[in-house]
Every structure is written in C-alpha cells, then in structure tokens.
Amino acid sequence: MRTIGWFVALAVIALCATGTDSPDLKAVQAPMSSVHALAKFQVPGFPDWIGVGDSIWISNKPKDNLSRLDPKTNEVAGTISTGKAPCAGLAMGFGSVWVPNCGDGSVWRLDAETNKVIAKIATGIADTEGTITAGEGSIWMPADATGVLARIDPKTNAVAARIKISAGSFAAMAGEGAIWVTCTKSNLVSRVDAKTNQVVAKIPVGPSPRFLAVGLGAVWTLNQGDGSVTRIDPATNKVTATIAIGVPGEGGDIDTGAGAVWVTAMGKPISRIDAATNRVVKQYVGKGGDALRFGLGSLWLSNHEFQEVWRIDPKVL
C-alpha cells in the first residue's frame, strides 16, 4: 500500500520511536513483538492489499498476482496471476474479486470460486495509493486524478457511468446507503448518491485524508497530513470527532470490526480505537503493518518487511 521508499520508511519508524507521541498515546502503547498471531502466512514479494470473503486475498504488486489464503486451514491455497502491477486495493462482491491494475489502468474481475478471470475492464486508476469498493449494486473505482469516479455494472462488466468528483480523490468506500470518496488534495469527503450518480455532500475533514472505512454507524478517514482519524455521522454529514492517533505520512490503512476502528501504519502496525469513546485504547509499536482488514472474526495484517500476512484474534489486542 505504501509508496514511500525504504530509507523514508526507516525515517518514519525512527520518528515514531523518538518520543513524539502524546502522553495519552504513550500510556496505551506496547511492543509489536508482544502480539501473538493465530497464523502467519508466507507471501514472498510485497504482500499488501487485502480482500475478505470465504477466502482471504492478498495483492502482490511486484509479483503481478494475488495470494489466496484458506482461513480454515491457515495455509496459502495458491496464487493467481493478475494484470500488471495490481494496486489501489481489492473489492469483494457479486461472487468475485475485483483487482485494479496500474500497469494498464484496468480492473480485472476474478471468479472467487474458480480463480478464473471473468472480465478485464478499462477504467483508469486515479492513484496507486487508493481503493476500489463494492456496494449499492456496483463497483466503484476512482479512475482519474482530475476527479472521476468510474461506476462498473457487474451485470455487463462495463463502465456504466463516470461521475465528476473533486480533483485529487483517490479512495472510495461503500456503506450507509452511499459511496464515500476521500479527496486528499482538498481535505474533504464527497458523498455520492448511487441513485443519481451525483455528489450530494462535501464534508471537510482532517489534512490529506486518504484511506477510509464505513462501519459502526460512521464513516472514518485516516488523515495522512497529521495522522489523525476523523469520524463522520452519515445521518447528518457532520464531523463528530477527530482522534489523534500519531500516524502521519504515506501509506496506512483503516477498517472496522468487533466494536473497534483498526488502523495500521509503518512503525505502528496496529492501533485500536474504541468506537464508543473515540479514544485509542491500544497501540502496538515496531516493525510490520501497512495494510489490514477485519473479517471472519479475525484481524488480517499485511507485514511488508516480513513478507508475511498475520491472522490475529482481536480479543488479544
């Protein structure tokens, strides 16, 4: 997920270790070495984006493939070739895995049962560090940095609409009856009405929002500018909380599950926010992380440096 180089990554990790966190964060921190994984999957290359269905899917850009993890056996079930340079997330929906490919600006549709390619759809990709999402009857892909959201019809495997959004919008997520798109350039979230294909609200959030999650009755953005998380009430389109989490910089990821909001970043692989209090209740510091998803009762964490994916019981975090 990250686009930063190795030396920059080391600098970020070093910064996290120099004591710049607030007293509140320091009080809830623990070493990443104390985390016990239920399973560790070896994924050589660059294990990154995660898709959760009956299986767990891991994007691997340098290998031009996906790894399929079997949650029943906790083993790697196989690898599936994709287009060139898979990027910008994975979407699960309509019995398929949807894979953006930055090599040619396409989205590939794979059958989640047979691993076979069903369709290759020319959409464009707004940014390598973005996301694709499934919901409201369609697949949604930020398709151009100038501000275009492509809507893919899964019945026809074709782009059904190209929706004008704010320039510099790279990540989308479906939920709460809408499509939510972060605009990193203008520090806002756009709400798209799937019935009209129109932007119906623009909500100011923290600096440089990128990745986002929809769950627990809210929309959550990870703001790369200051490392905060913004909470939006979808009933009012208003910000109800800004949570200091101390993970500024490129990369990272965010998801919800088990009553918590989960954030990963280089140097701080796991942070847990209690959705009831809007407070960071645990943060693990050390090597690992940068992509995560919650599903099948587990937290799934891509650890680039180890070339591994960890399966973790959220009850131990």
Side-chain angles (χ1 to χ4, degrees), residues 46-127:
F46 198 88
D48 202 349
W49 316 94
I50 303 171
V52 179
D54 292 336
S55 297
I56 308 300
W57 303 81
I58 309 296
S59 175
N60 200 327
K61 186 175 180 180
K63 299 291 187 178
D64 296 333
N65 67 24
L66 301 181
S67 293
R68 182 172 188 162
L69 313 183
D70 187 336
K72 295 180 180 178
T73 63
N74 284 332
E75 295 179 348
V76 178
T79 59
I80 301 95
S81 296
T82 66
K84 182 69 175 176
C87 66
L90 297 174
M92 308 297 299
F94 311 101
S96 303
V97 187
W98 303 79
V99 188
N101 291 290
C102 280
D104 62 1
S106 68
V107 172
W108 283 26
R109 180 179 186 175
L110 306 181
D111 188 300
E113 294 264 340
T114 66
N115 302 338
K116 301 297 185 182
V117 177
I118 298 174
K120 303 175 183 180
I121 307 157
T123 57
I125 310 292
D127 194 85

Side-chain angles (χ1 to χ4, degrees), residues 9 29 33 40 44 73 90 125 127 144-145 151 154 156 162 164 170 191 243 254 256 259 264 279 281 292 306 315:
Q29 287 177 341
S33 59
K40 296 181 180 181
T73 63
L90 297 174
I125 310 292
D127 194 85
D144 195 301
R151 179 176 189 167
T156 63
R162 291 187 179 272
K164 180 61 180 174
F170 306 129
R191 178 175 185 155
I243 305 160
I254 186 169
T256 62
T264 185
R279 294 182 64 85
V281 294
L292 61 73
F306 302 113
K315 293 190 291 293

Side-chain angles (χ1 to χ4, degrees), residues 81-221:
S81 296
T82 66
K84 182 69 175 176
C87 66
L90 297 174
M92 308 297 299
F94 311 101
S96 303
V97 187
W98 303 79
V99 188
N101 291 290
C102 280
D104 62 1
S106 68
V107 172
W108 283 26
R109 180 179 186 175
L110 306 181
D111 188 300
E113 294 264 340
T114 66
N115 302 338
K116 301 297 185 182
V117 177
I118 298 174
K120 303 175 183 180
I121 307 157
T123 57
I125 310 292
D127 194 85
T128 60
E129 201 178 346
T131 59
I132 184 173
T133 190
E136 300 299 315
S138 298
I139 302 296
W140 309 80
M141 180 78 240
D144 195 301
T146 61
V148 176
L149 179 65
R151 179 176 189 167
I152 301 171
D153 184 344
K155 295 179 181 178
T156 63
N157 293 322
V159 175
R162 291 187 179 272
I163 302 162
K164 180 61 180 174
I165 55 177
S166 298
S169 297
F170 306 129
M173 193 62 64
E176 295 289 337
I179 311 302
W180 308 85
V181 188
T182 52
C183 180
T184 305
K185 180 179 179 181
S186 299
N187 305 331
L188 58 83
V189 171
S190 296
R191 178 175 185 155
V192 177
D193 186 330
K195 295 179 180 178
T196 64
N197 289 336
Q198 297 293 316
V199 175
V200 294
K202 293 185 177 182
I203 307 158
V205 294
S208 302
R210 178 79 63 156
F211 302 107
L212 72 164
V214 183
L216 304 174
V219 180
W220 311 81
T221 69

